[in-house]
């Protein structure tokens, strides 16, 4: 796919558009939990986290490292996890990705996928340990949820890349 | 992919400080998250108001999508029913013949029962229905099992009230907002319901497992074991659920109890009934 060359002297897109698109896409991802299905098993992937990771890995300069916390706060409010779990876990994931950015500078999509898989698995497993008692029989479903989320990441990366082209440049 | 240049501050002091400041803020945010997490683990209803506020905003969307979704979902179901109906007919006829004897006996018992109750002037507490509402969404990405009910304290819903459907217990109200309430489903790992077996009234405890099965533990270890097919109803112990609402049926036995499936499968559910708690909570002690 050949992208048209950017117009050098075009006026920059308004800030609302440049930042509003990524922010609202992550919030919409978190809001997937409001679909009217009463689920028996926790298999719905954490779309908010996946979108956030997609943006973070595609455009590292877009969000400051502390942006994970407010997104996590919103996710906590709609996900049913105890408040504070996503704030903490998503920020830790962002720190880890920052570390990878410094060590693993030249990356391909495969490495990004691996990083996203690690972050997703970490957030889901830690979230399960925080939210549910150890004896709860949710581990099989948790593994299914992690697998589904990891497999979905390329799709989410595509979903992120499309609005990224449309939102305009600074 | 080429590394972006903006993350490398170079020799600009301003850029270096900006980056460092970002790390400090992020670390502080993580710390705040940890504190919030500790607070909400120690005191789960602490941030109920915040969650209720968001739920208020999302509930109309869920409700609207649900009504469309139900219409579409009904089409394949109707086709399936048409083909299933012949077989079902035969099965039901056989079932009816078998149930007839049991039904006659149950009618007699029920008549006797009501007569005896009158005789004893037994006063059953009447538990009033508060409201009927729909369950509109659930915590599908979390290992906890919550559902959102489309009614809140404006409709009279309060914390701790039992929620049941046409087939049995669904759960209980955990948090309330103005027009929404969060319901702890039976299958949540932290849900506990005191039950008794309909066969002989032996009491037990039903725990959620988080995977749509329920664990049943007898209250006393000397109790005879549960059998597959035993029906469990609420016992009224604890004063939350009114006695006699169907809860679950045993599907298999385990080492120290049994596994059961609940009668009410809340995804097939249209309406949920919120009732008064069986015993009202005692009034708060007067301030000194």
């Amino acid at each position: 796919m050949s992208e048209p060359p950017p117009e050098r002297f075009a006026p920059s897109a308004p800030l609302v558009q440049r930042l509003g698109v990524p922010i609202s896409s992550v919030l919409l991802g978190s809001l997937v939990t409001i679909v009217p299905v009463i689920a028996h098993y926790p298999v719905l992937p954490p779309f908010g986290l996946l979108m956030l990771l997609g943006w973070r890995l595609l455009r590292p300069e877009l969000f400051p490292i502390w942006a994970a916390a407010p997104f996590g706060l919103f996710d906590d409010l709609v996900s049913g996890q105890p408040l504070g779990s996503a704030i903490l876990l998503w920020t830790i994931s962002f720190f880890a990705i920052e570390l990878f950015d410094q060590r693993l500078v030249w990356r391909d999509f495969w490495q990004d996928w691996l990083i996203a898989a690690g972050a997703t698995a970490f957030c889901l497993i830690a979230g399960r340990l925080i939210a549910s008692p150890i004896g709860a029989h949710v581990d099989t479903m948790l593994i299914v949820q992690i697998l589904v989320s990891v497999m979905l990441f390329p799709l989410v990366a595509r979903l992120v890349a499309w609005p990224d082209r449309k939102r305009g440049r600074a | 992919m080429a590394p972006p240049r903006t993350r490398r501050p170079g020799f600009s002091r301003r850029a270096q400080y900006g980056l460092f400041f970002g790390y400090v803020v992020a670390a502080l945010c993580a710390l705040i998250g940890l504190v919030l997490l500790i607070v909400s683990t120690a005191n789960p209803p602490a941030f109920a108001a915040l969650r209720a506020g968001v739920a208020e905003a999302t509930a109309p969307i869920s409700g609207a999508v649900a009504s469309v979704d139900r219409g579409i979902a009904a089409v394949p179901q109707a086709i399936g029913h048409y083909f299933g109906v012949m077989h079902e007919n035969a099965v039901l006829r056989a079932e009816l013949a078998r149930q007839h004897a049991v039904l006659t006996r149950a009618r007699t018992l029920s008549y006797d029962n009501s007569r005896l109750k009158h005789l004893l002037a037994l006063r059953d507490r009447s538990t009033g229905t508060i409201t009927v509402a729909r369950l509109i969404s659930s915590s599908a990405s979390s290992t906890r099992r919550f559902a959102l009910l489309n009614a809140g304290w404006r409709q009279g819903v309060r914390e701790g009230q039992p929620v049941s459907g046409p087939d049995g217990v669904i759960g209980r109200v955990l948090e309330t907002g103005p027009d929404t309430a969060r319901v702890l489903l039976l299958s949540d790992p932290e849900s506990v319901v005191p039950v008794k077996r309909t066969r002989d009234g032996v009491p037990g405890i039903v725990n959620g497992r988080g995977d749509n099965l329920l664990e049943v533990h007898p209250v006393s270890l000397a109790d005879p074991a549960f059998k597959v097919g035993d029906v469990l109803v609420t016992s009224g112990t604890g004063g939350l659920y009114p006695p006699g609402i169907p809860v679950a049926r045993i599907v298999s036995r385990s080492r120290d109890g049994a596994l059961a499936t609940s009668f009410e499968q809340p995804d097939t559910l249209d309406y949920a009934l919120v009732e008064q708690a069986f015993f009202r909570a005692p009034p708060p002690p007067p301030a000194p």
Side-chain angles (χ1 to χ4, degrees):
Chain A
M1 237 180 346
S2 64
E3 201 169 346
E7 288 184 46
R8 190 141 299 196
F9 298 105
S12 63
L15 190 70
V16 180
Q17 189 186 334
R18 272 186 289 131
L19 278 181
V21 170
I23 290 175
S24 52
S25 69
V26 175
L27 297 185
L28 276 179
S30 287
L31 278 178
V32 168
T33 48
I34 70 167
V35 292
V37 172
I38 310 296
H40 292 163
Y41 307 105
V43 289
L44 186 78
F47 279 106
L49 176 65
L50 290 177
M51 291 298 273
L52 185 63
L53 290 172
W55 279 109
R56 172 65 183 81
L57 293 169
L58 182 70
R59 295 265 169 247
E61 75 283 5
L62 178 64
F63 291 131
I65 185 166
W66 50 265
F71 284 127
L73 174 66
F74 183 76
D75 191 76
D76 277 336
L77 289 177
V78 293
S79 73
Q81 292 281 103
L83 192 89
S85 68
I87 301 179
L88 179 67
L89 299 175
W90 292 16
T91 314
I92 292 175
S93 313
F94 261 44
F95 268 113
I97 294 175
E98 193 80 12
L99 213 65
F100 277 114
D101 264 352
Q102 285 172 9
R103 297 273 187 277
L104 221 75
V105 177
W106 289 81
R107 295 200 300 257
D108 198 3
F109 180 71
W110 289 100
Q111 281 91 333
D112 278 356
W113 193 358
L114 201 65
I115 291 171
T120 316
F122 164 72
C123 289
L124 288 176
I125 292 172
R128 176 253 181 272
L129 291 178
I130 291 168
S132 300
I134 300 295
H137 292 250
V138 290
D139 300 319
T140 323
M141 280 302 136
L142 189 74
I143 291 168
V144 173
Q145 189 189 16
I146 291 172
L147 281 180
V148 170
S149 312
V150 170
M151 289 296 132
L152 265 177
F153 183 74
L155 193 71
V156 171
R158 271 298 168 113
L159 262 178
V160 165
W162 179 69
D164 182 52
R165 288 176 56 192
K166 304 284 175 199
R167 76 193 164 100
R169 291 280 168 268
Chain B
M1 200 175 73
R5 252 177 252 134
T6 41
R7 285 268 161 168
R8 310 222 143 187
F11 291 107
S12 158
R13 270 296 152 99
R14 192 164 165 270
Q16 285 173 4
Y17 285 143
L19 203 59
F20 181 70
F21 180 70
Y23 288 126
V24 172
V25 173
L28 277 179
C29 285
L31 209 63
I32 293 170
L34 185 66
V35 172
L36 287 177
L37 185 59
I38 291 169
V39 171
S40 54
T41 313
N43 177 22
F47 303 104
L50 276 176
R51 272 191 292 266
V54 177
E56 286 299 311
T58 61
I61 308 172
S62 299
V65 178
S67 52
V68 176
D69 186 47
R70 254 190 296 279
I72 297 169
V75 175
Q77 214 174 6
I79 298 170
H81 274 171
Y82 181 77
F83 289 106
V85 86
M86 297 298 282
H87 172 69
E88 205 178 341
N89 212 342
V91 173
L92 285 179
R93 269 175 209 283
E95 180 77 20
L96 197 65
R98 257 180 287 132
Q99 296 296 334
H100 187 71
V102 182
L103 183 71
T104 320
R105 222 173 73 217
R107 274 201 186 127
T108 328
L109 282 176
S110 150
Y111 175 64
D112 277 357
N113 198 358
S114 69
R115 216 159 44 108
L116 287 170
K117 268 188 183 169
H118 269 291
L119 205 65
L120 289 168
L122 190 72
R123 281 181 307 154
D124 256 340
R125 259 163 209 275
S126 74
T127 56
T129 302
I130 305 238
T131 184
V132 179
R134 288 179 194 277
L135 291 184
I136 46 176
S137 65
S138 73
S139 58
S141 66
S142 165
T143 49
R144 300 297 302 273
R145 300 262 55 82
F146 300 124
L148 202 65
L149 185 76
N150 206 359
W153 50 255
R154 276 199 216 150
Q155 286 78 27
V157 178
R158 297 284 179 276
E159 276 125 59
Q161 285 169 344
V163 181
S164 43
D167 297 327
V169 173
I170 293 172
R172 66 192 180 88
V173 177
L174 203 65
E175 296 166 359
T176 53
D179 289 304
T180 55
R182 197 169 282 268
V183 176
L184 182 80
L185 297 176
L186 266 190
S187 56
D188 186 88
E190 291 189 2
S191 143
V192 177
V193 180
V195 294
K196 64 185 177 191
R197 197 158 61 186
T198 47
R199 191 151 50 84
D200 50 5
V202 167
I205 300 275
V206 166
N207 275 99
R209 301 206 324 167
D211 64 346
N212 203 24
L213 280 176
L214 307 169
E215 251 168 19
V216 187
H217 298 288
V219 166
S220 140
L221 285 177
D223 281 339
F226 289 99
K227 281 187 204 155
V228 173
D230 275 351
V231 172
L232 304 169
V233 296
T234 51
S235 64
T237 314
L240 186 68
Y241 298 96
I245 309 178
V247 176
R249 176 181 280 129
I250 307 270
V251 287
S252 68
R253 288 173 56 181
S254 62
R255 200 159 41 81
D256 55 348
L259 293 181
T261 53
S262 61
F263 285 114
E264 190 63 59
Q265 294 292 331
D267 67 341
T268 59
L269 169 102
D270 256 356
Y271 290 102
L273 195 76
V274 184
E275 286 171 297
Q276 289 280 9
F278 185 48
F279 282 99
R280 313 273 171 82

